[in-house]
Amino acid sequence: MAQTILHTAATRTIADHGWLKSYQTFSFGMQYNPERIQFGALRVLNDDWVNGGKGFGEHPHDNMEIISIPLEGALQHEDSLENIAVIEAGEIQVMSAGTGIYHKEFNKNRNEPVKFLQIWLFPNQRNVTPRYHQERYDTLMKPNQLTQILSPDKDDQGVWIYQNAWFNIGKFDKGIKTDYHFKNKDNGLYVFVIRGDVKINDQILNERDGFGIWETEHVTIEAINNMEVLLMEVPMNY
């Protein structure tokens, strides 16, 4: 029988720094909850809002797969590998921190906020050579279908990471149903509702809710109203 866990939007930790408002599904920084450390290999899921012209100064990372998905606005990235890039809504960025990398990121626009998901996954290989990868996915999306945006395969659609994980995103009209079949039966699936309301099997989820399900091989997704959803399939043994 499938196992599940529900993290409603209202139960997330809020870190408000004035220039940054971060809604954190799992423990992050000074905010610690022993019951909300991770979901399998999924360690961080932050829903960040950064004011115009503001951002994160240079800071280090190592041995983590760090993914950014802008939802509104544009995020500028600069790192110690000499990458300089702007990531906009409809794109996904991954940074394999590996042996160590420094980076900074800030709102490209001075007059409007940038809203983005910051996601960290534990890698399946430690101390790899740091790398950066960015792809546009919105041009691949079709109405009422899931679109793969991340996988462990360098030759597959979307960005790739050092982990047996698959991300899919989709926009669905009210009443549309679809199924998601796990790539690996030992994985879990974490669902994050970007917009609207959705039913996963028998569980109703509202905007910005998170829902984990494992010990099953597929789920049924139904749009209660027009909605956008992110699916993150990850290994559970972490």
Side-chain angles (χ1 to χ4, degrees):
M1 184 175 179
Q3 304 296 307
T4 63
I5 188 165
L6 174 64
H7 299 137
T8 63
T11 65
R12 298 179 297 174
T13 298
I14 303 175
D16 190 344
H17 301 283
W19 62 272
L20 163 70
K21 187 173 286 187
S22 182
Y23 299 85
Q24 301 161 353
T25 298
F26 303 106
S27 292
F28 189 82
M30 300 297 291
Q31 310 292 338
Y32 178 72
N33 180 344
E35 296 181 357
R36 296 275 285 266
I37 301 297
Q38 65 196 83
F39 178 80
L42 176 59
R43 174 61 188 87
V44 168
L45 174 54
N46 290 354
D47 184 3
D48 288 346
W49 298 28
V50 177
N51 288 346
K54 303 297 183 179
F56 303 89
E58 188 173 69
H59 57 281
H61 292 284
D62 66 80
N63 288 311
M64 193 68 72
E65 300 296 299
I66 299 172
I67 298 124
S68 296
I69 304 176
L71 303 178
E72 296 181 26
L75 187 69
Q76 180 149 339
H77 165 98
E78 299 177 14
D79 63 41
S80 53
L81 301 178
E82 299 185 352
N83 292 301
I84 299 176
V86 176
I87 312 102
E88 299 177 333
E91 295 183 294
I92 181 172
Q93 170 212 72
V94 65
M95 190 172 65
S96 297
T99 55
I101 189 171
Y102 283 81
H103 81 133
K104 57 184 177 180
E105 50 195 350
F106 54 91
N107 190 339
K108 176 68 173 176
N109 300 315
R110 293 192 171 275
N111 300 318
E112 60 185 48
V114 60
K115 303 177 183 180
F116 69 103
L117 301 179
Q118 180 183 174
I119 303 166
W120 297 7
L121 268 66
F122 292 114
N124 58 15
Q125 297 183 47
R126 291 182 59 83
N127 297 322
V128 300
T129 300
R131 55 175 285 272
Y132 176 89
H133 189 189
Q134 176 181 342
E135 292 281 353
R136 177 165 290 280
Y137 65 81
D138 58 354
T139 56
L140 303 174
M141 293 180 69
K142 297 180 180 179
N144 301 313
Q145 292 185 25
L146 292 169
T147 298
Q148 181 179 288
I149 59 174
L150 177 149
S151 82
D153 187 346
K154 297 178 183 180
D155 298 320
D156 213 347
Q157 181 172 289
V159 296
W160 66 274
I161 64 170
Y162 290 101
Q163 186 51 271
N164 293 317
W166 289 263
F167 285 13
N168 281 263
I169 197 166
K171 296 180 180 180
F172 292 83
D173 297 328
K174 179 180 178 179
I176 296 294
K177 288 185 179 181
T178 191
D179 288 332
Y180 177 82
H181 294 269
F182 287 29
K183 301 288 187 179
N184 186 319
K185 64 181 179 62
D186 296 322
N187 283 352
L189 183 71
Y190 198 86
V191 179
F192 184 75
V193 185
I194 297 172
R195 297 180 183 88
D197 306 288
V198 60
K199 184 161 70 171
I200 306 294
N201 293 347
D202 295 322
Q203 178 65 57
I204 294 176
L205 305 174
N206 306 122
E207 189 165 304
R208 269 19 187 216
D209 284 352
F211 178 67
I213 183 167
W214 66 103
E215 295 185 9
T216 187
E217 296 184 17
H218 76 278
V219 297
T220 298
I221 302 165
E222 181 180 357
I224 296 175
N225 49 39
N226 294 350
M227 63 84 172
E228 183 175 6
V229 68
L230 174 65
L231 307 184
M232 295 169 278
E233 180 181 337
V234 298
M236 293 300 291
N237 297 323
Y238 279 83

